[in-house]
């Protein structure tokens, strides 16, 4: 884990294919925050044959809802939320071209299958390290669903956002590999 | 009869909400630091180092350590010789939450209806308030901002008395296994055993309010806590679920008498950002 792989968004297949579960990465570029309510609205829109409010092709969605920014700051604390709650929606968003997700905690089998099919990658950030993470977010604009408050979709410009490849595009899952390694039979 | 103004309660709750979000109690921080000493996994150590760095930054910067500043659980003890004047207790507490979450730049995470109309109330109210009347003329207020990542992983089981302590332990350990990396481990495990279904859930919450790592005063239950901690830390889940030896920082068990036919058990979890502040008026 000593080598940190630098990634620039939008993600390309060339970048994604070399990422393996357990790689430490540092992401720079644009990402979009969206969580429970925004995902529900986006998937409802797809079902109604309406366009998504953002073009997700090659993009990364960050499962997060920040605290309000203090005066003079671009954002408040902004760590990842539990990704499992987005499992019901993620495959349909990946079908639209989404290539990366940042969150925390394990994903369902259906999401991992969709990641393999769509050649996408799931990054884990450190849940609860929200003040630290906020320092890597340099610019924030609300781009959709402003009425959702903390759950609105935000376009974020990030520099050297640190995370770990939790599930790679071949379906290797750090949450399984890592736990198996340290589990002691009783 | 001692008079305590509703305004003082509001100001106190406001302050506790802000402090709780930004300043992790030292007992919890010390357990995380001790966990880092014990952890062998590379990703586990990486996570715990970042978590400790974040705790310090949040404290220095008066910033929330986690963006999920929670639904506000408030445990209140009202002395029977205390008289609240110039307002009522519930409104005073909710006003304190409203002011604390606004003035402290905390995230408002409460929706007005749980299912049909999940609209954000915009001020993090209402709080979940548990009030107990006790002897004395004081008011004690404990604020536990409860994040959803960990709260969602709790469970209740109405165990059969025949399942015994082994059945209780298995249920607790299985709950942690199912939770995996979701509740932001390393976690603090609050367990309530006894009473009725509602009583055991409240006991579990109160268990989370105990000083982290302090054993149950009953040596038999202190032993149960120690054994559970050991078993949980053999599951391999580790910090953030990346694999490792430090899955839980502490297990706190609280008990209450129960019915001849019952043995209810509740497990509630706190993430490593186990926030808790209290004041006595």
């Amino acid at each position: 884990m000593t080598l940190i792989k630098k990634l620039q968004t939008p993600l390309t297949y060339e970048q994604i294919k070399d990422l393996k579960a357990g790689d430490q990465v540092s992401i720079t570029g644009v990402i979009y925050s969206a969580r429970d309510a925004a995902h529900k609205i986006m998937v409802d829109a797809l079902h109604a044959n309406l366009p998504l409010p953002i073009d997700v092709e090659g993009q990364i969605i960050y499962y997060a809802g920040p605290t309000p920014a203090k005066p003079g700051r671009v954002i408040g604390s902004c760590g990842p939320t539990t990704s499992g709650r987005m499992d019901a929606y993620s495959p349909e968003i990946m079908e639209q071209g989404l290539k990366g997700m940042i969150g925390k905690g394990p994903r369902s089998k259906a999401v991992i299958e969709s990641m393999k099919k769509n050649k996408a990658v799931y990054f884990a950030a450190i849940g609860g390290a929200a003040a630290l993470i906020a320092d890597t977010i340099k610019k924030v604009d609300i781009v959709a669903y402003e009425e959702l408050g903390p759950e609105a979709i935000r376009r974020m410009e990030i520099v050297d956002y640190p995370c770990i490849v939790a599930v790679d595009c071949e379906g290797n899952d750090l949450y399984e590999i890592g736990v198996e390694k340290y589990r002691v039979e009783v | 009869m001692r008079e305590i103004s509703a305004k003082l309660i509001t100001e106190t709750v406001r302050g506790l909400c802000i402090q709780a979000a930004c300043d992790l109690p030292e007992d919890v921080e010390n357990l995380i630091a001790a966990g880092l000493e014990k952890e062998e996994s590379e990703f586990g150590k990486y996570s715990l180092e970042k978590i400790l760095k974040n705790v310090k930054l949040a404290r220095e910067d008066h910033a929330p350590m986690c963006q999920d500043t929670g639904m506000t659980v408030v445990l209140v003890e009202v002395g029977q010789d205390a008289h609240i004047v110039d307002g009522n207790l519930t409104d005073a507490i909710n006003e304190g939450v409203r002011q604390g979450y606004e003035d402290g730049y905390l995230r408002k995470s409460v929706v007005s209806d749980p299912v049909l109309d999940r609209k954000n109330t915009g001020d993090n109210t209402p709080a979940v308030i548990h009030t107990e009347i006790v002897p004395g003329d004081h008011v004690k207020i404990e604020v536990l901002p409860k994040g959803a990542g960990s709260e969602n992983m709790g469970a209740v089981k109405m165990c059969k008395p025949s399942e015994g302590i082994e059945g209780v332990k298995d249920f607790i350990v299985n709950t942690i296994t199912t939770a995996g990396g979701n509740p932001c481990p390393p976690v603090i495990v609050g367990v309530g055993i006894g009473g009725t279904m509602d009583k055991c859930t409240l006991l579990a919450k109160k268990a989370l309010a105990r000083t982290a790592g302090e054993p149950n005063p009953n040596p038999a239950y202190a032993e149960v806590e120690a054994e559970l901690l050991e078993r949980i830390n053999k599951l391999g889940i580790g910090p953030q679920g990346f694999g490792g030896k430090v899955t839980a920082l502490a297990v706190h068990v609280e008990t209450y008498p129960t019915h001849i036919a019952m043995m209810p058990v509740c497990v509630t979890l706190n993430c490593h950002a186990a926030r808790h502040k209290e004041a006595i008026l």
Side-chain angles (χ1 to χ4, degrees):
Chain A
M1 209 173 72
T2 40
L3 179 78
I4 301 173
K5 293 185 177 173
K6 297 241 174 203
L7 292 178
Q8 175 77 42
T9 67
L11 296 178
T12 62
Y13 177 64
E14 286 305 304
Q15 287 176 300
I16 292 167
K17 72 176 173 44
D18 292 332
L19 298 175
K20 299 289 167 227
D23 283 351
Q24 200 184 329
V25 300
S26 150
I27 304 173
T28 296
V30 169
I31 59 173
Y32 293 92
S33 72
R35 47 172 296 151
D36 308 57
H39 273 78
K40 185 178 187 317
I41 299 173
M42 283 197 286
V43 167
D44 285 349
L46 291 175
H47 292 172
N49 288 320
L50 295 167
L52 294 180
I54 50 169
D55 180 3
V56 296
E57 181 67 45
Q59 300 299 332
I60 296 176
I61 286 185
Y62 181 23
Y63 302 141
T67 60
K70 286 184 181 173
R73 301 281 179 102
V74 296
I75 198 163
S77 298
C78 190
T81 193
T82 310
S83 307
R85 290 194 319 276
M86 267 51 78
D87 282 354
Y89 310 113
S90 297
E92 287 181 74
I93 311 284
M94 279 188 267
E95 291 292 326
Q96 300 299 310
L98 183 76
K99 291 297 175 201
M101 296 159 281
I102 305 174
K104 68 169 180 84
R107 308 306 303 265
S108 68
K109 288 211 162 39
V111 168
I112 295 176
E113 283 310 310
S114 174
M115 288 173 59
K116 285 158 73 176
K117 181 184 167 217
N118 293 294
K119 297 293 167 212
V121 59
Y122 169 51
F123 303 99
I126 306 298
L132 205 57
I133 287 170
D135 283 349
T136 65
I137 303 170
K138 307 299 178 188
K139 188 169 186 291
V140 179
D141 294 295
I142 293 179
V143 292
Y145 314 145
E146 189 166 6
E147 67 283 5
L148 298 179
E151 296 203 72
I153 297 182
R154 289 170 169 81
R155 179 186 185 277
M156 298 181 175
E157 291 182 19
I158 56 173
V159 175
D160 290 333
Y161 180 111
C163 40
I164 293 167
V165 177
V167 183
D168 61 36
C169 70
E170 288 171 358
N172 299 301
D173 184 354
L174 179 64
Y175 291 105
E176 282 197 353
I177 303 164
V179 173
E180 203 46 49
K181 193 170 161 191
Y182 287 93
R183 192 159 60 88
V184 181
E185 291 294 341
V186 280
Chain B
M1 191 66 76
R2 183 172 157 241
E3 291 193 342
I4 295 175
S5 83
K7 199 170 164 237
L8 179 63
I9 289 169
T10 294
E11 280 168 13
T12 303
V13 170
R14 174 192 177 276
L16 291 174
C17 289
I18 299 172
Q19 275 178 45
C22 306
D23 180 21
L24 188 72
E26 246 177 42
D27 50 329
V28 182
E29 189 181 4
N30 291 342
L31 288 181
I32 300 170
L36 178 58
E37 296 297 312
K38 275 182 239 157
E39 187 52 76
E40 290 171 10
S41 119
E42 187 184 10
F43 296 117
K45 283 193 276 194
Y46 169 90
S47 305
L48 294 173
E49 279 164 7
K50 293 247 182 204
I51 287 165
L52 286 168
K53 212 171 152 190
N54 185 66
V55 166
K56 289 186 175 63
L57 177 66
R59 193 177 286 138
E60 284 163 16
D61 210 17
H62 303 289
M65 63 196 88
C66 181
Q67 77 290 337
D68 186 352
T69 46
M71 185 161 195
T72 317
V73 175
V74 186
L75 305 177
V76 196
E77 272 182 14
V78 181
Q80 65 184 27
D81 297 320
H83 179 215
I84 294 156
V85 293
D86 299 329
N88 79 70
L89 180 66
T90 303
D91 289 350
I93 291 171
N94 280 322
E95 183 57 27
V97 168
R98 190 173 289 122
Q99 291 180 13
Y101 277 69
E102 187 60 33
D103 299 347
Y105 295 91
L106 310 183
R107 196 180 76 186
K108 290 82 180 170
S109 310
V110 174
V111 291
S112 56
D113 179 279
V115 189
L116 302 178
D117 185 16
R118 292 181 63 89
K119 195 170 180 298
N120 200 306
T121 61
D123 60 8
N124 221 54
T125 68
V128 174
I129 306 168
H130 300 289
T131 310
E132 202 177 342
I133 307 291
V134 297
D137 63 1
H138 68 285
V139 172
K140 181 180 173 190
I141 303 173
E142 297 180 86
V143 168
L144 290 88
K146 199 64 196 69
S150 54
E151 186 70 1
N152 276 335
M153 295 294 127
V156 177
K157 186 181 177 193
M158 301 306 283
C159 292
K160 292 189 183 78
S162 63
E163 291 179 63
I165 190 67
E166 290 311 315
V168 171
K169 285 181 198 162
D170 287 348
F171 169 63
I172 296 164
V173 173
N174 290 342
T175 302
I176 306 297
T177 306
T178 306
N182 287 303
C184 273
V187 292
I188 292 181
V189 185
V191 179
I193 313 173
T196 48
M197 185 189 266
D198 52 316
K199 180 69 181 179
C200 79
T201 59
L202 183 55
L203 284 173
K205 267 294 173 299
K206 287 189 172 175
L208 291 182
R210 195 198 294 170
T211 300
E214 191 179 277
N216 188 298
N218 176 338
Y221 279 108
E223 203 176 306
V224 170
E225 290 173 341
E227 194 198 318
L228 280 166
L229 183 62
E230 196 182 328
R231 269 180 75 179
I232 289 165
N233 284 336
K234 283 181 178 169
L235 294 173
I237 297 165
Q240 295 293 306
F242 297 146
K245 301 183 78 171
V246 184
T247 302
L249 300 171
V251 179
H252 296 167
V253 175
E254 294 289 328
T255 63
Y256 194 79
T258 189
H259 186 279
I260 49 173
M262 294 198 303
M263 200 168 73
V265 184
C266 172
V267 182
T268 187
L269 303 176
N270 242 347
C271 56
H272 58 79
R275 292 155 287 184
H276 172 219
K277 290 286 169 191
E278 62 179 63
I280 297 173
L281 305 177

